Amino acid sequence: MMRKSGNRPQTDSICFDLKAHPLTLASSYHLIFKLKEMIEKFIKIVSSAVPLPIENVDTDQIIPARFLKAVERKGFGDNLFRDWRYRKDGTPNPDFVLNNPIYSGTILVAGKNFGSGSSREHAAWSVYDYGFRVVVSSFFADIFKGNVLNNGLLPIQVTEDFLAEMFETIEKDPTAAFEVDLEKQTIRNVNKSSELEFDINPYKKECLLKGYDDIDYLLSLKNEITAGFASLDIKQAGRRLFAHDPSLWNPESQMAEPGSKSQGLIEITEESCIQPAVLFKMNVNSFCQSATRMMASCDPLLTAASNPGISLGGLLGIARLHGRDKVTLIVSPSLGDFGSWLGLIITKRAGNNEKGLVPEIASEIGVPGCYLNDRVFVQVFLASDDISATTTNLFALEKAGFPVIRISLPGKESLGGEFYRWEVATSIAAYVMGIYPFNE
């Protein structure tokens, strides 16, 4: 019996507290983005199968684009294969396999190259929401394969011969059973006693076996992560910002070698603040005082819950673990080239790696339909700025499920603290993602 769609509640908007512990942020992020009905633990399935012997099925055929406007992840199963499943007048097409009562089960058997086309994650949602747990094909489009694994579905790539045998078996006996054993990584045609081993990423296998998504997995490591944050030298993470090392302000400069003089703890002095303060046309003393205050807030003796650098970095790292690798920066013109510096420091500390973050400086913000589910939006502005031009679209992005971080600064003199916060934050984000932040 197919599980009916429409059971997945989701919050309407997002509000992140940048003073929260990264694991608290993970929990909040999880509440918003997880398909809560929990992903079912996957060990072994014995089921009949639904055949779809059509090659090159793309994501627009799986779930047409006109049904992608919903901001909640529920109900997509109702429109799975919509244009094949229903006539133009909305009545069911009796010739389509999902409307044929002789076929049922939690295994979908599809032709070669299933899931090609656009990268919409809605295609995976619709297949899972309809009630399938396994999709079998001789080839999957890479992005679709990743999306289904992230949403509790198991894609099994088999040989052309084994796929043909499955179609033949189902045609002769629509009730024929197939056994999928994820622990052993095998799929078996019970009628013919033929069996095939399949490949799966070990991490994704563990997530499916435990009923985890990426955030569940992160939260399962709470003790290890908490211990890691407790032992992390935050001053080392930001050690170069005000350490008489001009390489930060010159992208062509090379990082100092471990053990050199610039590797020591940060000492913020007026002299060390001159270069960045002049670069951003600020009073040196004000810049230095702001940086000193932020340094105190990011002191390693403070808990992560009250550390603004760790909190911001934890959120960015957690978002990346959930597939959001693009950081779209919306920086007010009143802050000059600060956006360019943010892009540089994100790239240097937490980018340049396939696991890392990709910064993008945006002059304007589009509506939700302009973006894939791979983004975090960060807006930095002065409290006195008029940000009305971006407010409407940013709120729309929040409602559509995009994380939006707003950093309001009381005055331009606060930039000194932001330089320090982002040095720490990008280093922490790298730590969460498993990247060493000082390889340049």
Side-chain angles (χ1 to χ4, degrees):
M1 193 75 175
M2 290 291 180
R3 178 178 57 76
K4 296 297 183 182
S5 61
N7 299 324
R8 299 179 182 183
Q10 186 180 17
T11 58
D12 291 329
S13 62
I14 299 168
C15 181
F16 288 113
D17 179 3
L18 290 182
K19 293 183 179 179
H21 186 282
L23 287 169
T24 304
L25 290 169
S27 300
S28 301
Y29 190 88
H30 189 249
L31 265 178
I32 293 163
F33 293 104
K34 183 168 173 56
L35 312 183
K36 270 291 194 198
E37 149 190 3
M38 295 284 288
I39 292 176
E40 303 165 18
K41 291 183 179 181
F42 193 125
I43 300 176
K44 181 185 292 187
I45 284 180
V46 180
S47 172
S48 54
V50 177
L52 188 70
I54 303 173
E55 295 188 351
N56 304 311
V57 175
D58 63 37
T59 52
D60 193 56
Q61 291 163 328
I62 295 172
I63 180 74
R66 64 185 182 276
F67 297 109
L68 306 186
K69 297 179 181 179
V71 298
E72 295 185 351
R73 300 184 183 188
K74 62 185 180 182
F76 284 96
D78 294 335
N79 294 307
L80 176 66
F81 302 123
R82 176 77 190 198
D83 291 342
W84 293 340
R85 195 169 152 194
Y86 297 96
R87 297 189 178 110
K88 290 184 178 180
D89 62 5
T91 59
N93 174 9
D95 296 326
F96 187 63
V97 63
L98 294 190
N99 298 324
N100 191 332
I102 69 172
Y103 298 111
S104 64
T106 57
I107 301 173
L108 175 65
V109 184
K112 183 179 181 179
N113 195 27
F114 188 74
S116 58
S118 78
S119 60
R120 66 190 66 165
E121 193 174 7
H122 308 71
W125 298 349
S126 62
V127 175
Y128 183 87
D129 199 58
Y130 184 81
F132 291 115
R133 294 302 315 282
V134 178
V135 184
V136 181
S137 179
S138 58
F139 182 80
F140 292 99
D142 287 342
I143 295 177
F144 176 80
K145 186 175 182 179
N147 284 339
V148 297
L149 282 167
N150 288 335
N151 286 277
L153 277 162
L154 174 62
I156 299 179
Q157 188 163 318
V158 298
T159 64
E160 295 279 3
D161 290 342
F162 194 87
L163 185 66
E165 181 189 285
M166 290 186 73
F167 281 132
E168 180 184 349
T169 299
I170 298 168
E171 183 178 6
K172 290 180 179 178
D173 179 8
T175 66
F178 299 89
E179 179 185 273
V180 176
D181 190 325
L182 178 56
E183 188 70 60
K184 295 181 180 178
Q185 295 182 213
T186 59
I187 179 170
R188 185 166 69 93
N189 184 334
V190 176
N191 280 20
K192 292 182 174 292
S193 297
S194 57
E195 185 175 276
L196 187 72
E197 293 185 359
F198 60 86
D199 294 326
I200 183 172
N201 178 285
Y203 164 68
K204 290 301 182 184
K205 176 181 178 179
E206 182 177 357
C207 286
L208 286 171
L209 287 172
K210 293 182 177 179
Y212 286 172
D213 66 8
D214 291 334
I215 304 302
D216 284 319
Y217 182 81
L218 179 67
L219 292 173
S220 75
L221 301 176
K222 179 176 180 179
N223 292 337
E224 292 88 338
I225 291 173
T226 300
F229 277 119
S231 64
L232 190 65
D233 187 341
I234 300 303
K235 288 185 177 180
Q236 180 185 5
R239 63 184 177 271
R240 283 198 308 130
L241 182 55
F242 301 102
H244 303 280
D245 183 356
S247 67
L248 181 62
W249 313 103
N250 179 3
E252 304 303 321
S253 299
Q254 297 299 312
M255 177 66 184
E257 294 297 322
S260 67
K261 292 182 179 179
S262 63
Q263 292 285 317
L265 297 180
I266 302 170
E267 179 184 2
I268 299 177
T269 65
E270 288 193 11
E271 181 184 358
S272 64
C273 290
I274 289 175
Q275 189 166 6
V278 170
L279 181 66
F280 287 88
K281 300 177 182 178
M282 292 178 56
N283 177 277
V284 175
N285 185 54
S286 297
F287 189 97
C288 184
Q289 290 177 355
S290 172
T292 301
R293 288 192 297 270
M294 184 61 72
M295 178 180 176
S297 297
C298 294
D299 191 283
L301 296 179
L302 298 176
T303 64
S306 60
N307 190 311
I310 285 184
S311 297
L312 176 58
L315 174 56
L316 293 173
I318 289 163
R320 176 62 184 91
L321 293 180
H322 207 63
R324 295 182 181 270
D325 63 330
K326 294 180 178 61
V327 181
T328 299
L329 303 167
I330 312 106
V331 180
S332 289
S334 60
L335 296 177
D337 291 329
F338 184 63
S340 298
W341 181 86
L342 280 185
L344 170 64
I345 198 63
I346 290 171
T347 299
K348 293 180 76 173
R349 290 284 177 266
N352 292 329
N353 187 299
E354 62 181 11
K355 298 179 184 178
L357 297 170
V358 180
E360 173 192 84
I361 301 171
S363 57
E364 57 185 32
I365 296 297
V367 296
C370 297
Y371 304 105
L372 300 177
N373 293 324
D374 59 356
R375 289 178 187 265
V376 175
F377 293 85
V378 179
Q379 184 179 34
V380 186
F381 58 97
L382 295 179
S384 58
D385 287 339
D386 179 6
I387 57 172
S388 57
T390 58
T391 298
T392 300
N393 283 356
L394 281 176
F395 276 122
L397 288 163
E398 283 184 319
K399 285 188 69 67
F402 290 91
V404 176
I405 301 167
R406 294 177 178 85
I407 300 176
S408 175
L409 305 179
K412 194 173 180 181
E413 67 277 359
S414 299
L415 273 182
E418 285 308 300
F419 279 112
Y420 194 97
R421 189 217 311 243
W422 279 90
E423 271 282 357
V424 175
T426 50
S427 300
I428 294 299
Y431 176 86
V432 172
M433 296 181 294
I435 300 171
Y436 181 65
F438 305 112
N439 285 334
E440 303 181 28

